[in-house]
C-alpha cells in the first residue's frame, strides 16, 4: 500500500562485440528507492546466448520485448498479494532455509533498515506487522545494493521472487 512501481527496460550491448546482447524488463519501487529485482517468473527476458559478430537485429529484439510489456506489467499484480500475507518468526526461518540464506545474510536482512521506512524487518516483526512484501523488499534491497553484475542480480532476484510467489499462494 502506497508503494509506486515504475517499469524499466535494461539493455546491455557492445560496439566491439565483447559483450553478449542482453535485454530485460525490471521495476523500481519509487517510494522507497528500493530496486525490485526483475525479471522474475512473471517477466519476459530475452538474452542472446552468444556474442554477436553480425546478424543481431536490435530492432526486432526490442520489438519482441515490447510485445510482452503489457502482460508483464499486469503480472506484477501478485505483489499486492505479498502485502496481504502476514509473516511470523517461524515463516521467516522457513524462507531463510528455502532460499539458503546463511547467518550473515539473515542478520543483514533482519537488521538493515528498509529505505523509506527507516525500520528493519526485525522491528516490523516485533510489532507483529510483518508482511511478505516487507521481507521481499529486504531481499531485493540487499540484491540491488550488492556489487554483483546485473545478470547475477537478476538470477538471484528471479529465485527469490519465484519462492515468494509460492509462499503467498500457499
Amino acid at each position: 500500500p502506497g508503494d509506486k512501481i515504475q517499469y524499466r527496460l535494461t539493455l546491455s550491448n557492445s560496439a566491439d562485440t565483447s559483450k553478449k546482447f542482453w535485454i530485460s524488463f525490471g521495476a523500481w519501487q519509487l517510494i522507497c528507492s528500493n530496486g525490485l529485482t526483475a525479471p522474475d517468473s512473471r517477466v519476459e527476458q530475452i538474452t542472446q546466448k552468444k556474442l554477436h559478430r553480425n546478424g543481431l537485429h536490435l530492432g526486432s529484439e526490442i520489438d519482441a520485448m515490447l510485445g510482452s510489456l503489457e502482460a508483464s506489467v499486469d503480472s506484477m499484480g501478485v505483489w499486492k498479494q505479498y502485502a496481504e500475507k502476514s509473516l511470523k518468526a517461524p515463516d521467516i526461518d522457513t524462507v531463510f532455509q528455502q532460499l539458503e540464506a546463511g547467518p550473515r545474510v539473515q542478520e543483514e536482512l533482519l537488521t538493515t533498515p528498509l529505505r523509506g521506512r527507516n525500520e528493519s524487518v526485525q522491528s516490523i516483526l516485533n510489532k507483529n506487522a510483518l508482511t511478505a512484501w516487507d521481507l521481499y523488499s529486504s531481499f531485493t534491497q540487499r540484491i540491488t545494493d550488492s556489487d554483483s553484475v546485473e545478470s547475477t542480480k537478476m538470477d538471484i532476484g528471479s529465485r527469490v521472487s519465484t519462492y515468494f510467489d509460492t509462499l503467498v499462494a500457499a
Side-chain angles (χ1 to χ4, degrees), residues 71-140:
S72 295
V73 170
D74 290 344
S75 70
M76 292 296 173
V78 75
W79 282 337
K80 292 177 184 176
Q81 295 172 19
Y82 287 20
E84 296 166 359
K85 174 79 172 179
S86 295
L87 297 180
K88 308 294 183 213
D91 301 317
I92 294 173
D93 291 339
T94 301
V95 170
F96 288 160
Q97 181 181 24
Q98 292 297 314
L99 291 173
E100 300 174 351
R104 183 181 57 81
V105 171
Q106 291 179 32
E107 179 70 18
E108 286 180 35
L109 292 168
L110 289 171
T111 61
T112 302
L114 296 173
R115 288 192 186 95
R117 299 207 34 198
N118 291 326
E119 59 182 335
S120 67
V121 166
Q122 186 65 58
S123 67
I124 300 168
L125 178 65
N126 292 344
K127 295 176 187 175
N128 201 28
L130 186 69
T131 67
W133 179 252
D134 300 319
L135 187 57
Y136 179 74
S137 292
S138 182
F139 271 96
T140 59

Side-chain angles (χ1 to χ4, degrees), residues 21-34:
F21 171 77
W22 178 72
I23 185 170
S24 69
F25 285 134
W28 186 257
Q29 188 176 359
L30 295 174
I31 296 293
C32 65
S33 300
N34 178 15

Side-chain angles (χ1 to χ4, degrees), residues 41 64 103 128 158 165:
S41 58
N128 201 28
S158 179
D165 284 359

Side-chain angles (χ1 to χ4, degrees), residues 11-74:
L11 182 133
S12 176
N13 199 5
S14 62
D16 64 359
T17 69
S18 62
K19 291 184 182 179
K20 292 180 183 178
F21 171 77
W22 178 72
I23 185 170
S24 69
F25 285 134
W28 186 257
Q29 188 176 359
L30 295 174
I31 296 293
C32 65
S33 300
N34 178 15
L36 293 173
T37 304
D40 56 29
S41 58
R42 297 174 297 271
V43 184
E44 186 76 20
Q45 181 176 10
I46 299 171
T47 304
Q48 289 291 104
K49 299 295 182 188
K50 59 183 179 184
L51 294 177
H52 53 278
R53 299 286 179 229
N54 52 19
L56 175 66
H57 302 286
L58 186 57
S60 61
E61 295 286 352
I62 292 172
D63 286 345
M65 190 70 154
L66 293 176
S68 66
L69 177 63
E70 186 174 342
S72 295
V73 170
D74 290 344

